[in-house]
């Protein structure tokens, strides 16, 4: 029975890691797009300053608000990536521990151990 529990734990861990990687990749793509957009806003701000726009104060406030908003969103997504990684790691460790518990002793008193780390 321990062998099958180890196989099940391994399959669960692969599924967990696959889901984590998919979520992380999606969030990293969003972050990259938002960073690109933010760079464009910085350029707009510099151009407005250089051209001494008549309404620079209003333009700069709007652009700075957009930059600030983007940077806040990027930080939220990075925190979400970190959270997903730590939750995934904890889940996989719990699966390993559950499999180890079932490895302790079978009905005949013999110990069966397979480590799938």
């Amino acid at each position: 029975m321990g062998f099958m529990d180890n196989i099940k734990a391994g399959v669960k861990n692969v599924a967990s890691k696959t889901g984590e990687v998919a979520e992380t990749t999606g969030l990293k793509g969003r972050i990259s797009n938002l960073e690109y957009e933010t760079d464009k806003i910085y350029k707009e701000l510099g151009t407005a300053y250089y051209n001494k726009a008549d309404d620079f104060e209003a333009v700069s406030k709007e652009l700075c608000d957009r930059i600030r908003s983007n940077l806040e969103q990027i930080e939220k997504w990075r925190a979400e990536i970190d959270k997903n990684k730590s939750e995934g790691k904890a889940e996989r460790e719990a699966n390993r521990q559950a499999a180890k518990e079932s490895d302790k002793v079978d009905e005949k008193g013999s110990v069966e151990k397979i480590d799938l780390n």
Side-chain angles (χ1 to χ4, degrees):
M1 177 120 155
F3 177 74
M4 287 306 294
D5 289 333
N6 282 333
I7 297 295
K8 289 177 187 176
V11 169
K12 286 180 185 178
N13 286 347
V14 168
S16 170
K17 187 65 175 182
T18 301
E20 177 188 317
V21 168
E23 286 181 45
T24 299
T25 301
L27 288 170
K28 284 183 177 182
R30 290 182 196 168
I31 289 170
S32 180
N33 289 339
L34 206 51
E35 286 173 336
Y36 178 75
E37 180 184 318
T38 303
D39 284 344
K40 286 175 38 179
I41 297 169
Y42 277 122
K43 288 177 186 176
E44 283 181 57
L45 182 61
T47 301
Y49 177 79
Y50 180 78
N51 291 332
K52 298 179 176 134
D54 293 333
D55 57 344
F56 178 73
E57 212 170 299
V59 170
S60 66
K61 181 183 179 336
E62 187 266 330
L63 293 173
C64 287
D65 288 344
R66 287 174 48 199
I67 290 169
R68 190 174 304 107
S69 174
N70 287 358
L71 295 176
E72 287 172 0
Q73 185 61 50
I74 288 169
E75 286 307 309
K76 286 179 186 178
W77 285 337
R78 285 187 176 145
E80 190 173 336
I81 288 170
D82 291 341
K83 179 183 168 206
N84 288 345
K85 285 183 178 183
S86 65
E87 286 176 354
K89 189 174 184 177
E91 178 185 354
R92 289 186 296 278
E93 184 57 32
N95 290 339
R96 282 187 205 99
Q97 291 301 320
K100 283 182 182 181
E101 289 298 316
S102 70
D103 278 346
K104 298 250 174 162
V105 178
D106 67 11
E107 295 173 21
K108 298 176 186 174
S110 64
V111 176
E112 179 184 353
K113 279 206 160 193
I114 295 177
D115 192 5
L116 295 176
N117 292 331

